[in-house]
């Protein structure tokens, strides 16, 4: 069960409680599910009971008690625990959830996490005559459009060189009416460092501006260009390139991806030693030590959790006009993926198996998420690095 499917399941539980006369509320159009916070448990938590408590005329905890039986026993859900004032903490069948998640990502491709259709919102982003503000506004517009909004970006001033070097554009330039104040204003790049920033080129330059939080001063040095583990952009693009390479190499070995739970045995298993991140020479560390029989959901739980969280991250980054949230999320996905990617292909004289096909499917899902995320930031995702 994917987060989107779980959200629909929660709404269906509300609808069933309303139809049974246990709740008297309008069924909401959306139920937010996210990893549990402090004090929570399970795979996901939802605050839907807190949202419905006032219109239902009941306490949040009582609303949660009403909803729990409609969730327990649903296919893919193994347990529901109530915590705090009324949070529903949901545990999933991890093997089934992993298969469904990977299948959903492969079906949606780079558009995984996008809204299914326009939501009717019209958003105007207006920024000062500042390079970083314009880049942040444009990336925020991409995120908002991915979530169904219609967006227009304007700036108080604009330099043509920003387009030629960083590929950034706006819809209009000039002073806005009084009722449209500047609403995108990150910490700017000091004038003395603008030339250094521009010398990084499109991809590294945009990453330097978008990866830090808006209130943090961006770094404009050549650390964004080095192919080392210390460079977060390199790690993200390296993970993407390795995921694409896995598909090419699997084709050479005569097998393709197929989502599945991926039970693995013997030498076909395990989490590699080391971090799997590139060294200064671009060679991944880790040798792949076998650990016994391991379902895919247990072999890569952090990676599956990061991929499952991608739609929530896109929605939050769009809502808060914060492309830095997406950038940091891509780093988290890459760091979780790099050790796993060392285990995808058969080793030695092994024959390709269902486990390898399941792992390849997960690797392709990683590639899709990283490519889609980088595209929203206006950054290229090369297949070879």
């Amino acid at each position: 069960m994917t987060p989107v499917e779980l959200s629909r399941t929660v709404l269906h539980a509300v609808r069933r409680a309303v139809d049974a006369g246990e709740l008297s509320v309008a069924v909401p159009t959306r139920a937010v599910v996210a990893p549990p916070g402090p004090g929570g448990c399970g795979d996901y938590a939802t605050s839907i009971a807190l949202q419905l408590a006032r219109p239902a005329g009941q306490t949040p905890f009582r609303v949660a008690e009403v909803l729990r039986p409609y969730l327990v026993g649903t296919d893919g859900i193994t347990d529901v625990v109530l915590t705090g004032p009324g949070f529903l903490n949901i545990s999933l069948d991890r093997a089934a959830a992993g298969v469904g998640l990977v299948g959903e990502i492969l079906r949606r491709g780079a558009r995984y996490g996008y809204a299914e259709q326009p939501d009717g919102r019209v958003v105007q982003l207006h920024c000062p005559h500042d390079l970083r503000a314009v880049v942040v506004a444009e990336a925020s517009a991409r995120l908002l459009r991915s979530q169904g909004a219609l967006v227009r970006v304007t700036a108080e001033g604009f330099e043509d060189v920003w387009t030629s070097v960083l590929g950034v554009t706006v819809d209009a330039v000039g002073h806005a009416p009084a009722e449209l104040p500047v609403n995108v204003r990150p910490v700017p790049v000091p004038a003395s460092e603008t030339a250094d920033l521009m010398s990084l080129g499109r991809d590294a330059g945009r990453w330097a501006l978008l990866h830090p939080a808006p209130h943090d001063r961006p770094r404009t040095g050549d650390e964004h260009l080095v192919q080392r583990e210390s460079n977060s952009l390199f790690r993200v693009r390296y993970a993407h390139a390795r995921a694409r390479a896995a598909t090419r190499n699997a084709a050479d070995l005569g097998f393709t991806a197929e989502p599945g739970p991926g039970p693995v045995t013997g030498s076909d298993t395990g989490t590699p030693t080391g971090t799997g991140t590139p060294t200064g020479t671009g060679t991944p560390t880790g040798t792949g030590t076998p650990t016994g029989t391991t379902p895919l959901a247990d072999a890569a739980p952090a990676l599956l959790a990061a991929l499952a969280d991608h739609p929530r991250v896109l929605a939050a980054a769009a809502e808060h006009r914060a492309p830095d949230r997406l950038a940091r999320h891509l780093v988290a996905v890459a760091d979780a993926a790099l050790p796993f990617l060392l285990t995808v292909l058969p080793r030695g004289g092994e024959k390709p198996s269902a486990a390898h096909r399941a792992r390849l499917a997960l690797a392709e899902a990683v590639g899709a998420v990283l490519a889609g995320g980088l595209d929203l930031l206006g950054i290229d995702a090369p297949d070879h690095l």
Side-chain angles (χ1 to χ4, degrees), residues 80-137:
V80 179
V81 176
L82 277 59
T83 60
F87 292 105
L88 290 155
N89 297 262
I90 303 169
S91 297
L92 302 180
D93 179 336
R94 295 177 65 188
V99 174
L101 172 65
V102 172
E104 172 70 7
I105 296 173
L106 295 184
R107 183 180 71 83
R108 299 292 303 276
R111 295 180 65 84
Y112 167 63
Y114 280 39
E116 296 282 354
Q117 58 189 8
D119 62 7
R121 285 180 298 163
V122 178
V123 180
Q124 173 76 59
L125 300 179
H126 187 61
C127 50
H129 185 178
D130 172 71
L131 172 59
R132 189 184 184 197
V134 169
V135 173
V136 169

Side-chain angles (χ1 to χ4, degrees), residues 130-140 158 161-163 165-169 184-191 193-221 223-224 231-233 321-328 377-379:
D130 172 71
L131 172 59
R132 189 184 184 197
V134 169
V135 173
V136 169
E138 188 215 39
S140 297
F158 190 85
V161 69
W162 297 350
T163 299
V165 176
L166 298 181
V168 63
T169 61
V184 179
R185 195 189 292 273
V187 172
V189 176
E193 298 179 16
T194 300
D196 292 337
L197 186 284
M198 300 294 278
S199 70
L200 296 176
R202 172 172 176 152
D203 293 334
R206 291 179 72 102
W207 185 264
L209 296 174
L210 295 173
H211 181 257
H215 57 267
D216 290 334
R217 177 174 168 176
R219 295 180 300 169
T220 59
E223 65 267 22
H224 299 290
N231 180 358
S232 56
L233 174 59
R321 287 43 160 178
D324 59 291
R325 296 190 181 198
L326 173 58
R328 290 194 296 272
L377 299 177
I379 296 173

Side-chain angles (χ1 to χ4, degrees), residues 361-376:
L362 180 51
E364 291 185 355
V366 168
V369 167
L370 294 179
L374 287 172
D375 182 65
L376 286 170

Side-chain angles (χ1 to χ4, degrees), residues 299-327:
L303 176 56
L304 288 168
L307 295 176
D309 203 31
H310 187 66
R312 184 195 66 81
V313 172
L314 290 187
E319 179 181 356
H320 296 282
R321 287 43 160 178
D324 59 291
R325 296 190 181 198
L326 173 58

Side-chain angles (χ1 to χ4, degrees), residues 23 43-44 62 118 127 135 137 172-173 175 220 242-243 294 318 332 375 379:
L23 290 177
D43 298 297
Y44 292 97
R62 176 55 190 154
C127 50
V135 173
V173 179
H175 295 292
T220 59
R242 282 196 65 87
T294 311
D375 182 65
I379 296 173

Side-chain angles (χ1 to χ4, degrees), residues 24 106 151:
S24 180
L106 295 184
V151 189

